[in-house]
Structure formats: structure tokens, C-alpha cells
Amino acid sequence: MLAAAVAVGVELDREQARRLNRELRRHEAMSSAARALARRDLSERELSERLARSRVAPGERGEVVARLAAVGAIDDKRVARARAELLAERDSGDALIRHDLAGRGLAEELVEAALAELEPEHVRAARVLQKRGSNLKTARYLARKGFSEESIGDPVAEGTPPAVR
């Protein structure tokens, strides 16, 4: 371990042993973070929580998150944009997307910026209505998926029989 100034056959004094232990903890924290990020992109908060569950000490956890953010391995803006796009592709409305992103610990301005880059909610709702049919069942589906009443109300009212309205 070069960072701890250790070599084979050299007897460790107390300070060198402490330095070695500190470097080993940093290495283990970075390895744990790398394994987590290999599976999927995480926000800073998600990575920090994942490291906390792996029993990484707060000092090492903060250092690892800061180092990975500095080199671009974790980027909350990228996570917000990618997650918002994925949820929009899965027929999610703005409210559901906003809730999901906020639950991942993303800042409100990043959430709003990601939503602003998406196709307008009423256009996504109209596409779902066209695909599934303009009826009450579809309106309930859209409501569950986080679409606003404005996005749901008008297209459904146009396609439903007067007796149902």
C-alpha cells in the first residue's frame, strides 16, 4: 500500500498501522461504491445511503461520494434526466415523476429541470389515450400514473358518451 507507506518485510509502528487501516477503509468504501454504481446510476444521496448500509463510516462515505462526484462518476443532474425520461416512456405523469425523483434525494431545481426537458404532460396523456382508448378506465389509469386532471379531463370527456360524463 503505497499511500500508507508500507513495504513487505518492514515492521509497522503505530502511526503506520493507523495509516494502513485508514487506507484500507478508504479502499473498501471506494470498492463498495464501484460495485453499487456498476449496477445502475445512483444519486449522491442514494450512493451515500447504500454505503451507510454497507457500514462505511460517515467520513469515508462523504469522501468517496465527493471524489466520485468530482470526476463525474455520480451526477445528480444526469440521474434526474435519465430517470425522468424512463418514467415518461413508461406512461408516468409529472406528479409521479416528481415524487420519484424527490424520493431519490434529488434537488428540486434538478427535478424541475428534468421535467422541463420532457415532452409536455398533456401530449404524453393524449398518446396514452390514443393507445388505450378514451374511456373512464384509461382516465383512472392516467390518474394512478400521476397525470394532472387537466391532462386527463379534456381528452377523456371528448371520447366518453354523454351518459357517463
Side-chain angles (χ1 to χ4, degrees), residues 42 54 114 132 157:
L42 299 170
S54 296
R132 295 177 61 106

Side-chain angles (χ1 to χ4, degrees), residues 23-161:
E23 288 303 318
L24 285 172
R25 285 194 315 264
R26 284 184 184 140
H27 177 72
E28 289 171 7
M30 191 61 79
S31 295
S32 181
R35 283 190 303 275
L37 290 170
R39 292 185 200 104
R40 70 179 181 91
D41 215 3
L42 299 170
S43 69
E44 288 184 23
R45 187 179 102 190
E46 288 175 309
L47 180 60
S48 184
E49 289 172 352
R50 184 100 34 118
L51 292 173
R53 286 192 304 269
S54 296
R55 295 193 171 106
V56 174
E60 283 88 20
R61 190 168 56 233
E63 184 181 325
V64 165
V65 169
R67 287 173 77 184
L68 290 172
V71 298
I74 53 175
D75 180 1
D76 282 359
K77 184 177 181 181
R78 181 181 65 226
V79 170
R81 188 174 42 249
R83 183 68 182 167
E85 288 171 0
L86 176 70
L87 291 172
E89 288 171 10
R90 293 179 178 173
D91 297 339
S92 296
D94 287 354
L96 189 143
I97 295 170
R98 190 175 282 113
H99 177 74
D100 181 87
L101 297 179
R104 292 173 184 279
L106 297 167
E108 186 176 338
E109 60 270 6
L110 294 177
V111 172
E112 294 307 319
L115 285 169
E117 291 181 19
L118 295 176
E119 195 171 38
E121 185 181 54
H122 70 277
V123 173
R124 297 189 322 259
R127 187 172 34 256
V128 173
L129 286 164
Q130 185 180 20
K131 184 172 48 176
R132 295 177 61 106
S134 187
N135 54 47
L136 199 53
K137 186 176 179 181
T138 303
R140 281 193 222 107
Y141 171 80
L142 289 171
R144 281 192 314 271
K145 296 292 275 181
F147 283 88
S148 66
E149 286 184 36
E150 294 81 31
S151 296
I152 300 169
D154 296 337
V156 172
E158 293 168 8
T160 54

Side-chain angles (χ1 to χ4, degrees), residues 1 3 20 33:
M1 298 234 74
L20 177 61

